[in-house]
Amino acid sequence: MRISELCRQSGVSVPTIKFYLREGLLPPGNPTGRNQADYGERHLRRIRLIRTLTGVGGLDLASVRGILAAIDDDQVSLGEAYQVLDRALALDGANSLGPLAVAYAREEVEALVASMGWSHQVSADGREVLTEVLANLRLLGCDAGVSFFAPFARAAEEVARAELDLACEADENDRKGPAIVRGVLFGVALAALRRMAREHHLALR
């Protein structure tokens, strides 16, 4: 298809598509003449992926670029691709917190990890994010000890198992892209479900 048709099918303007091409987010089309190229289904899928990550996923283009590079690199495993996604989604507020508050929260998080039977090597990024959450809660006077997050951890474990079951059922040559999309969108869905449940129980009370 020509770029105008790609624009029509994707709902993304031609200038935006050209921007994606210049930035290397979208692979070049097949040249058909001077300043002309043909685009295919993979370009349409890539545009939809970019729009999903930046739209519903709320990621910036720098993060999306790193995620796409991980998806495209055959040397990057699924686990490593998840790490790239985790870093893109991670908070970066530890420097604004006192070292003692961070150290105390980190000890609690390590205790939670141990109580779940999870390996000490599990997601250093995830442990740091939870550490920052706990320390910030205390800083703001909204104390909720790490035990409050134990049900979250148990629910997350069930979701993670189901998520990885889907990834393992997929074609090994086309596993990372869908897995990363689910990694972003399942997080959004979980947040939406929590809001719905909270509204329901708030009405009951």
Side-chain angles (χ1 to χ4, degrees):
M1 68 185 86
R2 301 290 292 274
I3 194 168
S4 56
E5 178 63 14
L6 184 61
C7 165
R8 189 187 68 79
Q9 289 199 32
S10 66
V12 174
S13 69
V14 170
T16 299
I17 293 173
K18 289 183 176 179
F19 172 76
Y20 290 162
L21 289 165
R22 286 196 307 272
E23 292 295 310
L25 298 169
L26 190 65
N30 298 318
T32 58
R34 186 178 180 183
N35 298 325
Q36 291 187 346
D38 272 340
Y39 301 90
E41 188 65 27
R42 70 178 183 133
H43 295 93
L44 185 58
R45 287 198 305 269
R46 175 57 63 95
I47 290 174
R48 288 172 174 164
L49 173 57
I50 294 168
R51 301 300 278 186
T52 297
L53 293 176
T54 58
V56 179
L59 297 172
D60 58 45
L61 283 178
S63 297
V64 171
R65 182 179 289 104
I67 290 169
L68 294 178
I71 291 173
D72 292 339
D73 188 345
D74 292 338
Q75 301 302 311
V76 175
S77 69
L78 178 59
E80 291 168 334
Y82 275 131
Q83 290 175 8
V84 172
L85 175 61
D86 290 342
R87 286 194 293 272
L89 296 173
L91 300 175
D92 188 21
N95 291 333
S96 65
L97 300 167
L100 288 178
V102 172
Y104 182 55
R106 185 172 288 120
E107 286 181 8
E108 288 192 287
V109 170
E110 295 300 335
L112 174 64
V113 170
S115 72
M116 292 295 299
W118 293 343
S119 165
H120 179 71
Q121 283 74 37
V122 71
S123 182
D125 291 325
R127 294 201 308 272
E128 284 304 303
V129 168
L130 188 53
T131 294
E132 291 178 32
V133 167
L134 281 172
N136 274 289
L137 282 170
R138 292 202 172 97
L139 180 68
L140 297 170
C142 306
D143 197 12
V146 76
S147 60
F148 179 81
F149 291 96
F152 286 69
R154 290 190 290 271
E157 187 163 40
E158 288 194 31
V159 171
R161 283 199 191 105
E163 185 178 351
L164 290 175
D165 285 345
L166 284 174
C168 291
E169 290 171 5
D171 179 357
E172 189 169 352
N173 295 321
D174 188 29
R175 180 179 294 175
K176 287 189 295 184
I180 292 300
V181 170
R182 286 193 295 267
V184 173
L185 295 186
F186 283 4
V188 175
L190 282 172
L193 287 166
R194 184 175 64 86
R195 288 198 301 272
M196 293 159 63
R198 183 178 60 209
E199 290 168 4
H200 169 71
H201 283 282
L202 185 60
L204 290 179
R205 294 185 184 196

